[in-house]
Amino acid sequence: MDRHGTAAVTAWWRSAVIYQVYPRSFADGNGDGTGDLAGATARLGHLADLGVDAVWLSPFYRSPMVDSGYDVADYRDVDPRFGTLDDFDALLAEAHRLGLRVIVDLVPNHSSSAHPWFVEALASPRGSAPRDRYVFRPGRGRDGELPPNDWESVFGGAAWTRVPDGDWYLHLFDAGQPDFNWNDGEVRAEFEAILRFWLDRGVDGFRIDVAHGMVKADGLPDVGVTGQSELIGRGRLPYFDQDGVHEIYREWRKLLDSYPGERIGVAEAWTSGPERTARYVAPDELHQAFNFDFLQAPWSAAAMRDVIDACLAASARYGATTTWVLSNHDVQRHVTRYGGGAAGVRRARAAILLMLALPGSAYVYQGEELGLPEVLDLPDEARQDPQWIRSAGGQPSRDGCRVPMPWSGDAPPFGFSPPGSPAPWLPMPASWAQLTVERQLADPASMLALYRRALRLRRTHPALGAGAPDPAVLTWLDAPDGVVAFGRRPGLTCTVNCSSTPVTLPGYGEPLLASAPVAGRVLPPDTAVWWSAP
Ligand code: GLC
């Protein structure tokens, strides 16, 4: 029993596999070409059968959808495109019935410009309290015609937009996403109330959007260089990863802990490296932080090993586990990132065995279990990503990883929408007939079959999952060049050949699971094997 006297403390998140549902593209229940909560509820069986522990839902709140729902106009309601609060409650109940926990996305760095607070701010005078909930400043130059500083939007262009009375407001993303002022007590109180709203409804946690963003450096100093988005994940910027954000998470942790049932927070924090990321998982802060260094590592044994070592060491310093991720709705799908075509698929098969053998928790992005590639040839008029639109095509479009899921049948929309519905919001490639859930369930050699086997084994094998919060939970083994090899106690060795030549291994017992056929001790190129001996 825990201190609430309800359930035993399991620290479930330390080894959980969490599946990201992007509601717009997962399943369309009402037949309008856009995914929704009712559609997702009807497909939760797919996740239970896959063998994941929890679901993270990307935003489904009221939103003008300038940034696919990451522009929230009402934090306490479901957008009519996605359904109603009743639909949400039904999804939560069904997920819990199936043994799946549910994490929702919280977007605290900015609201939509359609949020009542921003509408009120615009209608209020300069320097007034409603304006102080956001970041309004006078401009520079003789008539204030220049932005207050040189900050750039992550989506391209200046991070400031001028309003008719001459003030400028800050938006680190689209102009339709004004940044909140987190020095304002009302903003802090409002978000605590929003957390409580969803916790009271029964959610198991929050994925915190732009968790590195809310606090800005005092005085909003210039960066001094252009091309600032290039620095994200590499250097420090006065608007990201400021130490002040941690104070917010210490408060939120107390709030989460005041609820029974181990509710968690996971940080989407793009920082300059594993050490900075690990600060978000200090024992009195959040439970998880996505490990983007792993996601960004190239398909190379040396690079993978370095990044795994650095991440394990950094999180162990805080007694936390690492949270591995290969794909999400913001990055090119890893089949394509690892080279695309047959090689990309082969590497993606090996990569999932690597990821699921590592100590800690792991995230799976919808469709990666089908081996979906990035859709690179979407027609320009179909693309909706503000990152692509604001940069006039200069930055990659994230639409290609957001194409709806193919479930069944031989032609688009592949069961995504009911028969007779309008076309899905993004066109689906005809070639995905080969990749539907239905097709892959019938094929023991499919990507889906591999994910299901790996996840099942991960649940039952004592060496897989979190392990102790200690880098020694994984032991590196001597391996030929191009091969990642490590042991997990008791009784598991993972070997991954990232090179293009077959290698002969010393012998680690029997193969438990392989990403491609293996004969004897020879590990083919771009192949991973879990073996039975340490
Ligand atoms: C996060 C989201 C991304 C969104 C951005 C702004 O990075 O994952 O999709 O565009 O925040 O909210």
Side-chain angles (χ1 to χ4, degrees), residues 254-273:
K254 286 183 215 149
L255 199 159
L256 291 168
D257 284 350
S258 73
Y259 279 77
E262 300 186 289
R263 320 289 178 101
I264 70 161
V266 51
E268 185 221 16
W270 293 87
T271 74
S272 53

Side-chain angles (χ1 to χ4, degrees), residues 209-456:
D209 187 64
V210 197
H212 53 306
M214 289 110 95
V215 172
K216 279 75 181 177
D218 281 345
L220 313 185
D222 279 338
V223 177
V225 296
T226 55
Q228 293 163 19
S229 61
E230 292 297 306
L231 291 174
I232 298 171
R234 297 196 180 90
R236 298 290 299 285
L237 289 161
Y239 45 84
F240 281 151
D241 195 28
Q242 299 296 304
D243 290 342
V245 292
H246 296 284
E247 192 193 310
I248 300 170
Y249 300 129
R250 286 192 280 271
E251 289 308 310
W252 287 10
R253 179 59 181 258
K254 286 183 215 149
L255 199 159
L256 291 168
D257 284 350
S258 73
Y259 279 77
E262 300 186 289
R263 320 289 178 101
I264 70 161
V266 51
E268 185 221 16
W270 293 87
T271 74
S272 53
E275 204 282 325
R276 295 292 309 181
T277 301
R279 290 172 184 238
Y280 292 76
V281 292
D284 57 348
E285 295 194 30
L286 300 172
H287 301 73
Q288 298 186 328
F290 294 119
N291 183 343
F292 293 128
D293 301 284
F294 178 66
L295 180 153
Q296 287 170 321
W299 185 248
S300 128
M304 288 290 183
R305 195 176 150 148
D306 284 353
V307 95
I308 292 165
D309 257 344
C311 295
L312 289 176
S315 48
R317 198 168 310 140
Y318 294 95
T321 40
T322 308
T323 300
W324 311 100
V325 53
L326 287 167
S327 275
N328 64 34
H329 65 292
D330 290 330
V331 298
Q332 192 175 66
R333 283 188 177 275
H334 62 272
V335 161
T336 306
R337 219 172 55 229
Y338 290 148
V345 171
R346 216 180 145 83
R347 290 174 181 166
R349 291 176 66 93
I352 191 61
L353 293 198
L354 169 62
M355 181 169 85
L356 293 179
L358 292 171
S361 166
Y363 278 70
V364 169
Y365 175 49
Q366 69 177 44
E368 71 167 78
E369 79 278 25
L370 306 178
L372 297 185
E374 185 82 3
V375 180
L376 297 169
D377 59 354
L378 285 171
D380 285 356
E381 60 278 12
R383 294 182 193 271
Q384 306 206 8
D385 180 10
Q387 172 168 287
W388 188 81
I389 295 168
R390 276 184 65 91
S391 67
Q395 282 201 58
S397 148
R398 298 170 298 174
D399 296 299
C401 63
R402 300 174 178 178
V403 172
M405 281 275 287
W407 293 95
S408 59
D410 295 317
F414 299 116
F416 168 71
S417 295
S421 306
W425 73 279
L426 283 174
M428 303 173 71
S431 58
W432 283 13
Q434 310 300 319
L435 298 177
T436 62
V437 172
E438 180 184 52
R439 187 74 71 97
Q440 297 202 33
L441 282 177
D443 176 4
S446 68
M447 184 73 90
L448 180 57
L450 178 70
Y451 268 69
R452 284 164 66 122
R453 279 201 294 272
L455 287 166
R456 203 163 306 140

Side-chain angles (χ1 to χ4, degrees), residues 20 22 56 58-59 67-71 105 107 109-110 154-155 172-174 177 207-210 212 268 270 292 328-330 385-387 398 402:
Q20 180 187 358
Y22 193 69
W56 148 33
S58 278
D67 186 19
S68 256
Y70 284 94
D71 48 321
D105 220 307
V107 189
N109 180 68
H110 46 263
V154 173
F155 294 159
L172 292 179
F173 294 88
D174 191 79
Q177 295 168 294
R207 177 265 189 190
I208 298 153
D209 187 64
V210 197
H212 53 306
E268 185 221 16
W270 293 87
F292 293 128
N328 64 34
H329 65 292
D330 290 330
D385 180 10
Q387 172 168 287
R398 298 170 298 174
R402 300 174 178 178

